Amino acid sequence: MCKCSGCGVKLQNTLEKDLGYTKNINNKLCERCFRIRNYNEYKYVIKNNNDYINILKNINNTNDLVVLVVDLFNISKNIMNISKYIKNNILLVLTKRDILPKSCYDEKLKKYFENYNINIVDKVIISSKKNYNFDELYNKINEYKTSDKVYVVGFTNSGKSTMINKIIYNYSDNDIKITTSNLPSTTIDSIEVSVNNNLTLIDTPGLIDDNDITNYINESTLKKIIPTSEIRPVTYQIKGKQVLIMDDLVRLDLRDNNITIYMSNNTNIKRYYKDVTDLLNLKRHELTPDNDSDVVIQGLGFIKFAKKSNVVIHTLDNVRVFVRKNLI
């Protein structure tokens, strides 16, 4: 079976509108990957987690090392679901370090994940964009692997494929490049990439978080809210009642607090010192974050609260909003 080297889909040259289509079956890339790479044209793929859970279950039948890739900016509340299907030893890789402010301490970020009951043997923080800590990552993969095969898993857009491409570039003579994109479900099926005679990385499709805001916005808005450079946190001193509105996606009703917002620098935030009726038609959430806790709007970012207070948040339907222990 010939598979696309970019996304892992089975190649075919008969059904032009179906996945895996290529004019020449001897090509390494499907038409979809070719157009993503050369024209930045993305074709949405409707998948569900049943397709991916079977892959995770098959991993559980091995004793191979699993590299769990987690986006530091967008930590899914469902991260524990990984442990339902995988009992292998896990090397936790925290990606997109370049997105969080430089003032954050790596050790504190790693310590945060002690809150999760996952079979983690070690942790590494990396930035694929900055080539940060890749020697440490590569050495730990080789230290903990139990065979030549190492599986790479995580949620969509966590940076799995970008990380593998950087490992190939740094440590391999292989010229394979996995297709990457800011949009969900770019990798469709598992892709085996030989780094050398002693190491093969297996990139798996990303698990889908159905409650992530990226599933419910258009492509232009998606590109705006996904940060591509270091976040500049914005702090507000809230006296009395105030309303913050973020790109017509989120409304926050606040009272007497200090908050710091960690979101893309392109996010447009409007501040009102009086009652407004904007976005009241969205889904309403009432939360009571404690002091030094975060309110997370899944996929959009998080807000750090200085003290305990009540907050009302309106979001798009199906988008998860929750309180967690502060990350930063």
Side-chain angles (χ1 to χ4, degrees):
M1 177 181 68
C2 295
K3 298 177 71 173
C4 174
S5 63
C7 69
V9 70
K10 182 180 178 181
L11 292 172
Q12 53 89 14
N13 61 356
T14 54
L15 301 173
E16 187 171 350
K17 294 184 179 180
D18 285 7
L19 290 176
Y21 176 77
T22 176
K23 293 179 181 179
N24 184 348
I25 200 67
N26 294 318
N27 288 340
K28 293 183 178 180
L29 287 180
C30 68
E31 187 71 13
R32 174 174 172 269
C33 283
F34 178 82
R35 301 200 72 82
I36 289 175
R37 293 188 187 186
N38 293 283
Y39 302 105
N40 200 27
E41 294 180 6
Y42 181 83
K43 180 180 178 181
Y44 278 91
V45 177
I46 300 175
K47 304 286 282 184
N48 62 64
N49 280 333
N50 291 333
D51 301 312
Y52 306 146
I53 288 172
N54 288 331
I55 294 175
L56 297 183
K57 288 179 177 178
N58 288 332
I59 295 173
N60 197 41
N61 294 328
T62 74
N63 191 38
D64 294 320
L65 176 68
V66 170
V67 173
L68 172 57
V69 179
V70 174
D71 178 351
L72 276 168
F73 173 72
N74 187 25
I75 304 168
S76 174
K77 192 177 182 181
N78 288 337
I79 187 174
M80 289 298 296
N81 287 351
I82 297 286
S83 63
K84 291 181 181 179
Y85 308 107
I86 295 180
K87 304 302 179 185
N88 308 51
N89 284 343
I90 291 175
L91 174 62
L92 180 65
V93 178
L94 307 172
T95 63
K96 306 183 185 180
R97 177 62 185 88
D98 54 290
I99 296 301
L100 296 184
K102 293 184 179 69
S103 57
C104 302
Y105 291 105
D106 283 11
E107 288 307 312
K108 181 179 179 182
L109 293 172
K110 286 194 284 188
K111 188 175 179 60
Y112 177 84
F113 287 87
E114 293 176 1
N115 300 317
Y116 295 96
N117 185 23
I118 306 176
N119 191 27
I120 297 172
V121 295
D122 214 334
K123 310 180 192 78
V124 186
I125 294 179
I126 67 167
S127 164
S128 297
K129 184 177 181 179
K130 301 292 186 179
N131 204 19
Y132 176 67
N133 274 352
F134 267 79
D135 284 348
E136 180 183 353
L137 170 62
Y138 184 67
N139 290 336
K140 286 186 182 297
I141 289 174
N142 283 290
E143 176 184 352
Y144 292 110
K145 68 184 179 71
T146 58
S147 74
D148 293 346
K149 290 187 176 182
V150 172
Y151 289 86
V152 182
V153 305
F155 285 88
T156 56
N157 293 348
S158 59
K160 297 183 288 82
S161 299
T162 304
M163 179 195 76
I164 291 174
N165 283 340
K166 183 62 68 173
I167 290 174
I168 296 168
Y169 180 84
N170 286 348
Y171 309 107
S172 177
D173 294 329
N174 198 327
D175 61 355
I176 289 177
K177 185 177 181 181
I178 299 172
T179 301
T180 60
S181 166
N182 283 335
L183 297 161
S185 298
T186 302
T187 301
I188 297 174
D189 203 348
S190 297
I191 307 171
E192 291 195 12
V193 179
S194 175
V195 179
N196 53 46
N197 292 333
N198 299 312
L199 178 60
T200 295
L201 297 177
I202 304 174
D203 188 19
T204 62
L207 284 165
I208 298 168
D209 188 336
D210 292 328
N211 300 116
D212 194 295
I213 198 171
T214 58
N215 296 312
Y216 306 105
I217 56 179
N218 60 37
E219 185 176 342
S220 60
T221 304
L222 182 64
K223 290 179 179 179
K224 183 177 182 181
I225 70 165
I226 294 180
T228 56
S229 59
E230 182 181 343
I231 290 171
R232 297 188 297 273
V234 182
T235 298
Y236 291 91
Q237 291 184 337
I238 307 296
K239 295 183 179 180
K241 182 178 179 181
Q242 295 183 22
V243 176
L244 298 180
I245 291 180
M246 305 167 184
D247 270 323
D248 293 332
L249 299 172
V250 174
R251 170 189 171 122
L252 275 75
D253 290 78
L254 304 159
R255 183 183 294 275
D256 297 324
N257 212 321
N258 289 343
I259 64 169
T260 302
I261 298 176
Y262 294 84
M263 293 183 183
S264 166
N265 300 327
N266 295 321
T267 304
N268 183 28
I269 302 175
K270 298 177 183 177
R271 186 178 189 179
Y272 297 91
Y273 296 87
K274 60 182 181 180
D275 285 335
V276 292
T277 59
D278 305 53
L279 306 188
L280 289 175
N281 60 315
L282 300 183
K283 185 175 181 180
R284 189 176 191 270
H285 308 261
E286 288 190 42
L287 302 171
T288 307
D290 290 325
N291 59 305
D292 291 328
S293 62
D294 296 336
V295 170
V296 179
I297 304 163
Q298 196 74 65
L300 182 64
F302 56 96
I303 304 159
K304 183 177 180 179
F305 282 72
K307 63 181 182 180
K308 184 174 182 177
S309 66
N310 295 322
V311 57
V312 175
I313 302 179
H314 291 80
T315 67
L316 301 177
D317 198 18
N318 297 319
V319 174
R320 182 187 297 110
V321 178
F322 64 97
V323 178
R324 72 180 182 197
K325 182 180 178 182
N326 68 293
L327 178 68
I328 297 174

